[in-house]
Amino acid sequence: MLHLVFLLILLYVVYVFITAFVLFYIPVQKRCKEHCMYKASSISGDDQGTNQVMLLENGFESGQIRIQMIREAKSMIRLSYYSIQKGRTAEWVLGALIEAADRGVKVQILLDGICHSLRGPLKHLRYAVSNHPNMAIRFYEPFRLFKPWTWHNRLHDKLILADGRVAVMGGRNIGDKYFADQPPKDFTYDRDVLLYNEKKGKVLDEMEQYFVYLWNHDFTKRSKDVYSKSKAKKGKKLRNQLLRSYQDAIRTKEPFVTPSFDWTRDATSVKQVSFFTNPVERFNKRPLVLKKLNDVAHRAKRSVLIQTPYVIPTRPMKDGMTPLSHEVQTTIVTNSLIATPNPLAFAGYLSTKKELMKTGVHLYEYEGPYSIHAKSMVIDDYLSIIGTYNLDARSSFLNTESILVIDSAPFAFTLTQAIERKIAYSYLVAKDQTELEDGAYGQKKKPLMKRLLLRGLSAITILWRRLI
């Protein structure tokens, strides 16, 4: 009997290895048989000059903006997120959504099916939401034991839409890690952008279409409307707790839930905004967001400024990109060994760092406090990109990703200033990979064990890349 169990486990491990790893290295030519939301390289459109945008650099204010969007919504709220994490701010956002649903607003919540983080106090959220007449929750690619090839197919979008007139998207998930006014240990500096159009407009309509496409896709699991009595009871209890927590915060005038923004006045009018996404596919996606960023970067005449938490330009990524002109100065700021919250990703970065330096890029490594999670680009002081795309293979070939391309010199100036504030707490890496002090923050002492561990992981990563 034990031999049979061992054989079955071994066969399953082999099955997982083949279907979750080997299959991803088989080159397959794909054609876009379905609507994949990719737009042509032009950034012209039929709503030029009617869109307004506002940079959301402060995490606390970015959370407040979401609360205000929910409070002012009259008909429909749609959210698509990689995860809803722990903390009072997450509970208050959910409480605000429940309050909106109670007054008749339709609420749709789409989460990644594996990385949704609905554990602990929020583990019964699906029961709380799905039994409300005005609320629904669905999960994109939930865990399937016998379909390992779906494990990599993650929903990485971070998007909230209200009434088709206002949207917020960028790098932030929902939780104290992103919104808290008193940052927890795992706090990260991130960035979002608000898009507003009084007349709705083409771009906001495209964002709505993208959400609906994902919501109704075969990859998305529809939650049951009715659960067992015990689960329904747990759901109702959680729903009441979240609503009560939000209402108590309103009563005590917590700043997070009592915002007063006027984006019709404070947002910046722009020439043009365009929305781009990766296709919704399994296995290796066609890297359409990467191609769009490559196209946009090649418009540069003088400079390209990039902020990204991870820089792992793998061989397949580089095969699809053409180098920029030597006359264009490229600057990248990313996490340092001290700041990185993701040792595996940083090990991959170390394995490609030497090649990256040979390109002549000005590479800055952010030292803290906390870490950076924003994904942004500025081209020639007039074109800005903000979204969910990390400069790595997962964002290029595996995840759903979305970006906004914004044509506005004033907005680009504001975004450049925000990135430069992070550069002030970074150091410049020289071509020989030594570290040159070039920021107000100065260099911190690197922890020995962490450095040795990452060097070891980096060596393994280099070997793996050469083998494949």
Side-chain angles (χ1 to χ4, degrees):
M1 185 64 181
L2 288 175
H3 290 291
L4 179 59
V5 172
F6 178 77
L7 179 61
L8 290 174
I9 293 174
L10 180 62
L11 289 174
Y12 179 73
V13 170
V14 173
Y15 172 69
V16 169
F17 177 73
I18 293 173
T19 57
F21 296 99
V22 175
L23 284 180
F24 285 82
Y25 294 100
I26 298 176
V28 177
Q29 293 293 327
K30 291 187 176 183
R31 295 181 180 179
C32 189
K33 295 181 181 179
E34 300 179 81
H35 181 48
C36 59
M37 299 305 297
Y38 181 62
K39 310 297 181 301
S41 58
S42 171
I43 60 168
S44 61
D46 59 8
D47 56 352
Q48 293 186 35
T50 63
N51 292 303
Q52 294 175 268
V53 296
M54 186 163 63
L55 186 66
L56 305 180
E57 189 71 10
N58 181 282
F60 187 75
E61 291 182 356
S62 188
Q64 287 181 305
I65 288 279
R66 287 165 169 83
I67 290 286
Q68 185 167 332
M69 288 173 61
I70 295 167
R71 291 182 64 176
E72 295 180 358
K74 294 179 174 58
S75 59
M76 174 66 78
I77 302 169
R78 290 176 163 133
L79 301 92
S80 177
Y81 280 92
Y82 180 70
S83 67
I84 297 179
Q85 301 184 8
K86 63 184 179 181
R88 292 194 307 167
T89 57
E91 294 173 4
W92 289 337
V93 169
L94 292 170
L97 290 170
I98 293 167
E99 190 274 336
D102 285 347
R103 68 174 188 266
V105 178
K106 297 294 183 182
V107 177
Q108 296 177 331
I109 302 173
L110 178 61
L111 299 176
D112 183 79
I114 293 178
C115 303
H116 50 70
S117 298
L118 297 182
R119 301 172 185 87
L122 298 179
K123 65 181 179 181
H124 300 310
L125 182 67
R126 68 184 70 199
Y127 313 141
V129 167
S130 61
N131 281 331
H132 193 294
N134 289 326
M135 301 186 80
I137 187 169
R138 294 183 181 179
F139 295 90
Y140 180 84
E141 288 285 32
F143 179 75
R144 294 178 173 89
L145 184 64
F146 296 107
K147 293 184 178 181
W149 56 89
T150 68
W151 298 352
H152 299 291
N153 192 26
R154 307 288 22 109
L155 176 105
H156 199 238
D157 302 303
K158 290 96 174 176
L159 172 66
I160 176 171
L161 298 138
D163 294 342
R165 287 187 169 84
V166 60
V168 167
M169 64 170 287
R172 290 184 178 98
N173 294 295
I174 295 175
D176 284 359
K177 179 178 179 179
Y178 303 91
F179 298 150
D181 58 341
Q182 296 181 344
K185 290 182 179 179
D186 64 346
F187 185 79
T188 186
Y189 289 112
D190 216 316
R191 183 173 297 121
D192 298 311
V193 59
L194 178 144
L195 173 63
Y196 172 73
N197 192 315
E198 185 180 0
K199 301 177 181 179
K200 293 191 176 181
K202 176 184 175 183
V203 178
L204 282 163
D205 185 57
E206 288 173 351
M207 296 167 82
E208 293 270 359
Q209 290 178 34
Y210 176 62
F211 179 95
V212 172
Y213 180 68
L214 288 172
W215 183 259
N216 294 316
H217 202 280
D218 291 341
F219 297 168
T220 300
K221 181 180 179 181
R222 293 151 180 79
S223 292
K224 299 176 183 177
D225 292 330
V226 180
Y227 290 92
S228 66
K229 288 185 178 180
S230 63
K231 290 180 178 178
K233 185 177 180 181
K234 291 176 182 177
K236 185 177 180 180
K237 181 180 178 181
L238 176 59
R239 191 166 70 231
N240 290 337
Q241 287 175 347
L242 292 171
L243 182 58
R244 187 165 53 251
S245 174
Y246 172 68
Q247 290 173 338
D248 288 345
I250 292 284
R251 189 162 44 253
T252 58
K253 297 182 179 180
E254 286 281 353
F256 187 80
V257 300
T258 54
S260 181
F261 294 94
D262 185 355
W263 43 76
T264 63
R265 180 195 64 197
D266 298 332
T268 302
S269 295
V270 297
K271 290 183 179 179
Q272 185 60 38
V273 180
S274 295
F275 178 63
F276 299 93
T277 75
N278 268 346
V280 182
E281 300 170 338
R282 284 178 176 156
F283 300 106
N284 288 328
K285 302 175 186 291
R286 288 159 298 132
L288 300 185
V289 168
L290 175 63
K291 289 180 179 178
K292 171 50 57 180
L293 293 174
N294 188 45
D295 291 344
V296 171
H298 277 80
R299 301 180 185 204
K301 301 267 194 301
R302 300 181 304 278
S303 64
V304 175
L305 176 62
I306 300 170
Q307 181 179 337
T308 177
Y310 317 118
V311 184
I312 315 173
T314 60
R315 187 180 303 162
M317 288 174 63
K318 289 184 285 187
D319 289 345
M321 301 172 65
T322 53
L324 298 177
S325 167
H326 291 296
E327 298 177 358
V328 176
Q329 177 58 61
T330 302
T331 302
I332 299 176
V333 56
T334 189
N335 283 303
S336 67
L337 183 147
I338 289 175
T340 183
N342 190 332
L344 287 176
F346 193 82
Y349 160 64
L350 287 179
S351 70
T352 61
K353 188 172 175 180
K354 189 174 182 179
E355 296 177 39
L356 187 64
M357 295 307 303
K358 290 179 180 178
T359 66
V361 64
H362 284 187
L363 181 62
Y364 288 88
E365 294 186 355
Y366 176 76
E367 288 205 285
Y370 307 109
S371 63
I372 53 174
H373 191 248
K375 312 95 166 47
S376 308
M377 181 185 295
V378 182
I379 310 295
D380 280 354
D381 304 324
Y382 80 98
L383 204 59
S384 305
I385 297 94
I386 294 179
T388 63
Y389 178 88
N390 297 314
L391 200 57
D392 64 11
R394 287 207 62 86
S395 284
S396 298
F397 303 105
L398 298 176
N399 296 337
T400 67
E401 303 287 356
S402 48
I403 60 171
L404 279 178
V405 181
I406 302 165
D407 186 352
S408 166
F411 184 84
F413 177 75
T414 303
L415 178 55
T416 299
Q417 285 185 314
I419 297 175
E420 287 178 346
R421 284 195 290 271
K422 294 298 179 285
I423 290 178
Y425 288 80
S426 309
Y427 55 77
L428 178 65
V429 181
K431 290 187 178 181
D432 60 0
Q433 299 191 58
T434 58
E435 298 154 2
L436 303 178
E437 186 172 346
D438 194 31
Y441 201 58
Q443 297 181 51
K444 290 183 178 180
K445 187 176 180 181
K446 312 294 187 294
L448 178 61
M449 291 305 297
K450 188 175 183 180
R451 185 169 67 246
L452 292 176
L453 174 62
L454 289 177
R455 291 293 180 187
L457 288 173
S458 174
I460 294 173
T461 303
I462 291 173
L463 179 61
W464 177 257
R465 289 172 62 232
R466 288 177 178 173
L467 288 175
I468 62 174

